[in-house]
Amino acid sequence: MRHTRSLRPRAALVAALIAAAAVASGCGSAASDGTGKQAAHPHARGSSASGRAPDSPPASSTRPSGTPTGPPSPALPDSVTRQKLSWSRCPEPNAAQGTDAGSPSPLPGGTRWECAELKVPLDYDEPKGRTLGIAMIRATERKGGGKRIGSLLFNFGGPGGSGVATLPAFARDYEKLRGRYDLVSFDPRGVGRSEGVRCLSDKKLDGYFAADWTPDTDSEQRRLFDRQENFADGCEKRAGTLLPHLTTENTARDMDVMRQVLGDEKLHYFGISYGTELGGVYAHLYPRKVGRAVFDAVVDPRSTPVAGSLSQSGGFQLALDNFLKVCAARGEDCPVGEDPDEGKQRITDLLAELDAEPMPTDSGRKLTESLAEGGIAQALYAKDTWQLLSRGLQEALVDGDGSTLLLLADALNGRNQDGTYSTLQSSLTAISCADNRQRYGAREIKSELPGFTEASPVFGPMSAWGLSSCHDWPVRGQWTSPPVGATGADPILLVGTTGDPATPYGGTRAMKKELGEGVGVEVTYRGEGHGAYDSDNTCVRRAVDGYLLRGKVPEDGTNCR
């Protein structure tokens, strides 16, 4: 099982979880102070060439390194690059996007969100063939903020997160940026309303996420791989013709179509988590089309699935250790004890007990080991939800009640309150397996298990077995690691957080190196959580806003506390 690389849970989601947990425990409402923010969570060398169309990538960059070689993709027809979008009032998010997000609320001044569908080629090697509809959302520029710069395109990560559902939930944080930009986001191909991938029924997904993902016997191991084969079969039956085209490279090409259709000379971009990988691939393909760009919660582009999952296991363990230190300082109020090491052991023991016997919840469903691990991980995406982790551990360890941890696990897995699922985790698998060429069987995973367990006794074993997610996948992956070299691109701000669980801090420096000399500008937030801009840190906000709004590049190596 892998955690998504995405931004923190939405404020609305945090408030809903707190309220639901309070009701479940019979307590009074634990009202949010209005600062909680979170969303969904698991994973070289451009050059210029003369004689190409103005909006085409360089011929040498039409296929990223590590992919099959071949002729450059044909030029896109005017029907794609000059299409007119029909913006209209947005419908409520559907189950595929995540209905718990709620309807987009009007912005300050009464501006309403607008939605449209963009047509892009399903296969960029056949640009006049079948098209794919990409769901988009925008909030137009706020008057009085200064001269309009253009559109600012957001990707909130995953891969598999719905930008159409997420952008309105974070709109308050970006209101200052709306002074000079239209704020725009989208459901990437294979996500949400953009032909979102569904591999299993909702009922079968309940069983899939609750299953045993840390096999202790040969029979449990066989059942694990049988589940992965059934999942892959379901994806092929429901979305077979789509699966080969759900690559990050194709989504980057979709973003360049957006740039052209939105009327921008360059792409102004804000990518979070996996969105930084997507942004890096775009910069590799179109280095001269990169405008003002910010990468927050930066992915290490050099990572293989093993290296990325291992690093993420250590990142979540670091976040858990930091939580345990803060919890222990509360003394008797800490549900796992006053010693952080003791707390870590109690959590490890809890997971082992759940492996043997799942715990009841107020919903009638059982909290299993895998759901508990996912719930703990979800609470670590931001300090705002540490209180929920304390409550969930208190209920589980003292009362034998898994209700709050199950609510957190459902948020991680994209389970809506009505029992339906968004496409989040199915899309994540489909996109990851279309990207990554590596496939892992039992022998490879067992050889990696000791290193994963050493990195994290809590998260390591499940992360290791999660490497099986592309087992028996019907499509061959495109690359071994994403190419992001973008020599000649305008400066890209790289914002890394030292306590980030999902995209550990080391990825920031790795991305800087891979982008090429003079491209990446590093900004470090010495704090907790996944994503720095939405942490309300004044220093980070000043650096990012200064670049996006005024073109002021901060000093490389800026430190924010």
Side-chain angles (χ1 to χ4, degrees), residues 3-4 90 113 120 128 213 313 317 320 380 383 402 424 458 460 508 528:
H3 303 129
T4 64
C90 294
W113 294 94
V120 298
K128 295 182 180 179
W213 293 98
S313 296
Q317 187 64 54
L320 180 61
L380 293 172
K383 288 187 78 171
L424 173 64
V458 175
T508 307
E528 302 294 332

Side-chain angles (χ1 to χ4, degrees), residues 1 204-213 231 368 370-371 413-415 421 425-426:
M1 303 293 286
K204 287 184 178 180
L205 283 174
D206 273 346
Y208 181 79
F209 291 123
D212 183 358
W213 293 98
F231 188 89
T368 63
S370 58
L371 290 171
N413 293 327
R415 191 181 196 270
Y421 280 86
Q425 293 290 351
S426 296

Side-chain angles (χ1 to χ4, degrees), residues 20-26 359-366 395 400-404 406-407:
V23 170
S25 62
M359 185 176 290
T361 71
D362 64 348
S363 69
R365 295 160 60 212
K366 294 292 185 73
E395 290 177 358
D401 178 7
S403 298
T404 295
L406 181 61
L407 285 168

Side-chain angles (χ1 to χ4, degrees), residues 194-544:
S194 300
E195 296 199 27
V197 174
R198 291 183 178 278
C199 299
L200 299 175
S201 68
D202 294 327
K203 184 176 181 180
K204 287 184 178 180
L205 283 174
D206 273 346
Y208 181 79
F209 291 123
D212 183 358
W213 293 98
T214 55
D216 303 308
T217 65
D218 288 344
S219 61
E220 289 182 352
Q221 181 181 299
R222 284 194 296 273
R223 286 197 291 273
L224 183 152
F225 281 95
D226 285 345
R227 284 195 301 275
Q228 298 293 41
E229 290 177 12
N230 289 335
F231 188 89
D233 287 345
C235 294
E236 186 173 22
K237 288 175 183 176
R238 293 174 177 229
T241 59
L242 188 63
L243 297 181
H245 307 289
L246 299 183
T247 62
T248 295
E249 179 189 349
N250 279 337
T251 298
R253 293 184 183 281
D254 294 342
M255 294 199 310
D256 201 60
V257 175
M258 293 176 204
R259 175 191 65 77
Q260 296 176 64
V261 171
L262 291 169
D264 290 328
E265 179 63 26
K266 292 190 173 186
L267 181 76
H268 307 298
Y269 179 73
F270 200 130
I272 300 104
S273 197
Y274 160 79
T276 68
E277 179 179 311
L278 174 61
V281 172
Y282 178 90
H284 176 76
L285 290 170
Y286 308 97
R288 302 294 180 183
K289 294 300 178 183
V290 175
R292 299 179 188 179
V294 175
F295 294 179
D296 189 3
V298 187
V299 168
D300 184 343
R302 305 167 306 177
S303 287
T304 62
V306 166
S309 294
L310 184 62
S311 176
Q312 194 176 72
S313 296
F316 275 98
Q317 187 64 54
L318 174 63
L320 180 61
D321 290 344
N322 291 339
F323 160 79
L324 290 171
K325 291 175 185 176
V326 172
C327 187
R330 300 197 333 242
E332 294 180 357
D333 290 339
C334 181
V336 290
E338 301 178 43
D339 175 32
D341 289 334
E342 176 190 345
K344 181 163 58 177
Q345 187 60 53
R346 290 193 69 184
I347 291 172
T348 303
D349 292 344
L350 170 65
L351 293 176
E353 292 166 7
L354 292 171
D355 187 26
E357 184 177 357
M359 185 176 290
T361 71
D362 64 348
S363 69
R365 295 160 60 212
K366 294 292 185 73
L367 179 73
T368 63
E369 177 195 21
S370 58
L371 290 171
E373 189 263 8
I376 293 168
Q378 172 71 0
L380 293 172
Y381 272 84
K383 288 187 78 171
D384 298 329
T385 45
W386 284 10
Q387 61 175 308
L388 285 174
L389 180 53
S390 290
R391 179 180 296 174
L393 292 173
Q394 172 78 20
E395 290 177 358
L397 292 167
V398 178
D399 304 325
D401 178 7
S403 298
T404 295
L405 289 180
L406 181 61
L407 285 168
L408 287 162
D410 286 349
L412 184 81
N413 293 327
R415 191 181 196 270
N416 301 312
Q417 292 183 41
D418 62 2
T420 61
Y421 280 86
S422 74
T423 64
L424 173 64
Q425 293 290 351
S426 296
S427 300
L428 182 151
T429 300
I431 294 167
S432 297
C433 297
D435 278 347
N436 297 320
R437 188 171 297 168
Q438 300 91 329
R439 303 291 185 255
Y440 301 95
R443 181 178 299 177
E444 293 91 345
I445 292 172
K446 286 179 178 178
S447 70
E448 300 289 349
L449 263 174
F452 275 78
T453 303
E454 182 179 357
S456 172
V458 175
F459 304 105
M462 203 168 298
S463 292
W465 286 106
L467 294 169
S468 66
S469 60
C470 293
H471 173 70
D472 202 40
W473 196 252
V475 173
R476 185 173 186 257
Q478 186 177 28
W479 54 45
T480 55
S481 60
V484 298
T487 301
D490 285 349
I492 298 173
L493 262 59
L494 308 176
V495 187
T497 300
T498 54
D500 193 319
T503 51
Y505 176 67
T508 307
R509 191 147 294 175
M511 179 68 80
K512 179 180 178 181
K513 181 178 180 180
E514 293 299 307
L515 284 171
E517 187 70 29
V519 178
V521 177
E522 193 172 352
V523 176
T524 299
Y525 171 47
R526 301 196 176 277
E528 302 294 332
H530 186 43
Y533 187 82
D534 290 284
S535 68
D536 292 329
N537 181 271
T538 302
C539 172
V540 172
R541 287 286 180 95
R542 187 183 301 118
V544 172

Side-chain angles (χ1 to χ4, degrees), residues 137-161:
I137 190 169
R138 76 174 180 182
T140 53
E141 169 205 9
R142 174 170 46 83
K143 302 303 180 185
K147 184 179 179 181
R148 183 180 183 275
I149 296 171
S151 295
L152 181 62
L153 186 66
F154 289 80
N155 180 279
F156 294 95

